[in-house]
Amino acid sequence: MIYDYIIIGGGIVGVSTAWQLQQRYPDKKVLLLEKESEFATHQTGHNSGVIHAGVYYEPGSLKAKFCRAGVDATINFCQQHNIPFNQCGKLLVATNELEVKRMEALYQRCQKNNIEVELLDKQQLKIEEPNITGLGAILVRSTGIVDYQLITIKMAQEFQSLGGECRLNTKVTQLKETAEEIRVSSNQGEFYSRYLITCSGLMADRVVKMLDIKVDFQIVPFRGEYYQLPANKNAIVNHLIYPIPDPTLPFLGVHLTRMIDGSVTVGPNAVLGFKREGYGKININLRDIKEMVMFAGFWKVLGKNLSSGITEFKNSLFKKGYLTLVRKYCPSIELSDLKSYPAGIRAQAVMNDGSLVHDFLFANSERTINVCNAPSPAATSAIPIGGYIVDKVSEHFCS
């Protein structure tokens, strides 16, 4: 049997793409392959669950465009399918004069991105959040929280109800593109397709290399480590609480997140990972380490961010440093409040010159479209991203 389209990757971007592709082309045979026993077990299932409003992103970028559309699309999907969500809003809190200046610049960026926000002074902040201390804050009411794994599973069900086929426990081992078709070899046998779309997340660079596509990036994993507050601290905040980010650093900083189950998490940090799919306490994979240290871009990005990287690593080892970060704006949290919680892994595309890829990155061939970098907020943006990829399919394969 020859499929019209095969999609590799059962995270939220891959499943969203499959679902919308089957909607667009109901008569086509579409197959979705996922190497795990269930959907959304990696980046999609190991994040904060935030429905982002798009505060941080460069005006005009794909990230900004997708995120802005993604908020409404995600909420509409949840409402249609009775998936719990909560638009509790977010506060970005400034704790010193430098952060106040950065807050004002961030407020201007929100205006350019057409995001409705409010500037709060110190007194207004205290009214909104009695347990939070700061000189001021940006209030983003449209930000919410959801379980993205539930969304992904429901999308997969919708895809199948339209006639799409899913195969779990199917690990791709080899890809071969010819003038007529794509051959996908796996632990479950071989599959053939006219066209291929890959949404492989942490394995994006390896999948592209299977196709002999020349690229100048590599995936470098960063662990995002979290803690969870005890149940008696579940009411400590009314909103999601974020620091004002340092624009010179690639990550947003440690924040307090009200999860959809009512609990509150603290995190994440951003620590260099030594295993692409390492979520436990000890995470080492020799192949992952070898590829990383052999990549020139790794050493360049390490040199550019050495100071912040050492600080993150130290705070990973010692809870007191982590606690200091969160007590900047929530001084009532104690060391004993930081309980263990599963980590996440961010697939960060790094170019050969050591620059971090902050927007979406694609690599295509005659019969393939490959998502090489789908940065946060890819979960929020999954529906418009999927639509964008399906548009690219129409342009690239059907013209």
Side-chain angles (χ1 to χ4, degrees), residues 2 54 109 122 151 182 261 295 314 344 352 357:
I2 297 181
R109 174 163 286 192
K122 185 176 182 178
I151 291 178
I182 301 286
D261 63 1
F295 174 52
K314 183 178 70 175
N352 284 339
V357 181

Side-chain angles (χ1 to χ4, degrees), residues 167-234:
R167 296 214 180 195
L168 299 173
N169 298 302
T170 305
K171 183 177 180 179
V172 173
T173 56
Q174 190 176 28
L175 297 170
K176 177 66 176 178
E177 178 177 358
T178 69
E180 294 80 26
E181 64 187 14
I182 301 286
R183 186 183 73 219
V184 180
S185 302
S186 77
N187 62 327
Q188 301 292 339
E190 292 190 339
F191 306 94
Y192 294 86
S193 178
R194 293 175 63 223
Y195 302 107
L196 176 71
I197 302 162
T198 71
C199 306
S200 306
L202 286 155
M203 302 299 168
D205 53 341
R206 292 178 183 172
V207 169
V208 171
K209 288 173 184 175
M210 286 184 193
L211 291 162
D212 293 325
I213 297 174
K214 302 301 181 185
V215 294
D216 57 353
F217 79 95
Q218 187 166 302
I219 296 296
V220 175
F222 285 87
R223 275 173 62 84
E225 297 169 332
Y226 297 84
Y227 292 100
Q228 186 176 53
L229 299 184
N232 64 0
K233 292 289 178 75
N234 282 354

Side-chain angles (χ1 to χ4, degrees), residues 38-86:
E38 57 183 339
F39 296 106
T41 59
H42 292 294
Q43 291 187 99
T44 305
H46 287 85
N47 61 41
S48 299
V50 176
I51 304 172
H52 287 282
V55 169
Y56 310 100
Y57 313 123
E58 184 69 32
S61 65
L62 285 177
K63 278 213 298 191
K65 175 185 174 183
F66 290 157
C67 190
R68 187 75 182 86
V71 176
D72 291 338
T74 300
I75 290 169
N76 288 340
F77 187 89
C78 291
Q79 290 172 332
Q80 289 170 15
H81 300 286
N82 298 312
I83 295 173
F85 71 96
N86 181 10

Side-chain angles (χ1 to χ4, degrees), residues 281-356:
K281 286 291 184 184
I282 300 175
N283 303 278
I284 294 175
N285 181 285
L286 294 180
R287 179 188 177 185
D288 293 348
I289 294 172
K290 180 181 177 182
E291 286 186 3
M292 193 161 59
V293 300
M294 295 290 288
F295 174 52
F298 164 73
W299 295 105
K300 292 173 184 175
V301 78
L302 189 67
K304 292 176 185 177
N305 298 278
L306 185 60
S307 177
S308 61
I310 291 172
T311 300
E312 292 282 347
F313 188 68
K314 183 178 70 175
N315 291 341
S316 172
L317 294 176
F318 305 104
K319 269 203 259 188
K320 285 186 177 180
Y322 206 109
L323 179 68
T324 300
L325 296 175
V326 73
R327 290 190 72 176
K328 279 181 63 179
Y329 52 80
C330 191
S332 61
I333 293 178
E334 303 291 341
L335 192 63
S336 59
D337 292 328
L338 301 181
K339 309 298 183 183
S340 295
Y341 193 78
I345 301 287
R346 173 174 174 167
Q348 177 63 60
V350 178
M351 305 304 289
N352 284 339
D353 64 3
S355 59
L356 303 180

